[in-house]
Amino acid sequence: MTAPTTTSNWADRYTGALMNTFGPPRLVLTRGQGAQVWDDAGTRYLDLLGGIAVNALGHAHPAVVAAVTRQLDTLGHVSNFFATRPQIELAERLLAMDGRPGRVFFTNSGTEANEAALKLTRRTGRTHLVAAEGAFHGRTMGALAVTAKEAYRLPFEPLPGEVTFVPYGDAEALAAAVTDRTAAVVVEPVQGEAGVVVPPRDYLAAARQITADHGALLWLDEVQTGIGRTGAWLAHRNPELVDAELPVRPDVVTLAKGLGGGIPIGACVAFGDAATLLQPGNHGTTFGGNPVACAAALAVLDTIVAEGLLDHAAALGARLATGLAADARVSEVRAAGLLIGLDLTEPVSAEVVAAAQRHGFIVNNPTPDRIRMAPPLILTAGEADSFLAAWPQILDEALGEQP
Ligand code: PLP
């Protein structure tokens, strides 16, 4: 069984007016507050997906609302012939997360951040790329070229570039694939769309060494894992995920999703020599760096600090993971802060999504036997516990619905 879909007139209108790229909507949502959302029948849900790791501060957070309102009231948009203060401040804040000198290119989405990174790699004079099996980097043609899933790729081939895919987390396979012709290795510190797959703790350091040995760039896609999601600003700097004795210094980091707390923004952040590869005329965007989006992102960063959300995400993720794993029908839980994936002993993830929704919880199933959660970082312990209390019943119902 698939997740129940909404029956309202709005759903019919959706079907009549929108391209069928996502299938029928599960619900028509009308408002949100904190980690909760309401549908058009007035039913309340705990949003444990957070717009797929986007709503870092939940819904209608006063800091984001105030920042956006203030900025829109002051200066809503300018062309990139001009600079704005929020854009400059945000670029500086993102660079400060790393500490090395660098440069930022702002975009409106994750795929565009990766598109910018891909163009940047072309300016090395090399074209070969190495990406990982299971990787997801977006749907534009360049980002799709380094995305592994054949169902996404095949309808659009030929895709640009020469890309070698290697098993994720396997440093030896990576070493065998990278040559002196390789422009870059692109890798997610934790694979989100694959169902939250965490590589060995020394994998990124190995990737750094291998790329450095061949003069290739290391490009980390932190679109899903960045901005506090895993309990650290950036997953590749999270000592829970990466060996602290093997610090990883990438050439390029791409960001989006949680950065704007629901306002569309992405960023391609480059360091060292990589920061100056894109020169005037090489790339551009009308909306990227829009002051309203940048003001929202600054509010997100400030609020993560003010509310101690990095530690909170780490602690609450661990609490959820322990609670979810307590049920014998869960074979594995992989938690990187509040990015949580779990495997079920039976391929009933669609039934789990449906049962959870009936119980008032929104989760997602990236594969038939995997569930993923990426709730707002402001989720409370009480809210997390309400899901844990319902979890055995949700699994009972899901397994009872098996054909
Ligand atoms: N990169 C990663 C790791 C992602 O998880 C996603 C989206 O899920 C993207 C890139 C694409 O981002 P967007 O959907 O904003 O284009």
Side-chain angles (χ1 to χ4, degrees), residues 2 59 108 112 121 128 135 139 143 150 154 199 214 245 255 274 284 311 382 403:
T2 53
H59 301 271
N108 314 290
E112 288 170 89
T121 72
H128 177 237
R139 303 290 204 140
E150 293 217 326
L154 290 181
H214 291 279
E245 282 167 19
L255 299 165
D311 290 345

Side-chain angles (χ1 to χ4, degrees), residues 54-81:
V54 166
N55 298 99
L57 304 186
H59 301 271
H61 193 288
V64 176
V65 174
V68 165
T69 309
R70 201 169 41 240
Q71 187 60 44
L72 195 54
D73 208 29
T74 311
L75 185 67
H77 179 78
V78 299
S79 74
N80 282 309
F81 297 122

Side-chain angles (χ1 to χ4, degrees), residues 52 108-112 114 136-139 188 192-193 221-224 256-257 372:
I52 316 185
N108 314 290
S109 66
T111 198
E112 288 170 89
N114 285 332
F136 184 81
H137 298 295
R139 303 290 204 140
E188 295 158 85
E193 295 303 298
D221 180 344
E222 292 243 22
V223 165
Q224 189 155 159
K257 288 195 180 275
R372 173 183 48 178

Side-chain angles (χ1 to χ4, degrees), residues 263-349:
I263 302 295
I265 183 168
C268 172
V269 188
F271 302 98
D273 292 345
T276 50
L277 283 171
L278 286 177
Q279 286 294 311
N282 282 165
H283 200 39
T285 166
T286 294
F287 290 114
N290 168 280
V292 176
C294 291
L298 286 166
V300 169
L301 301 185
D302 286 343
T303 306
I304 287 175
V305 174
E307 298 187 7
L309 294 179
L310 297 182
D311 290 345
H312 177 71
L316 199 55
R319 181 185 183 122
L320 265 168
T322 307
L324 293 164
D327 195 296
R329 294 162 291 184
V330 173
S331 53
E332 188 182 39
V333 179
R334 299 170 298 276
L338 281 173
L339 185 59
I340 301 170
L342 61 87
D343 289 5
L344 302 162
T345 52
E346 305 284 335
V348 292
S349 70

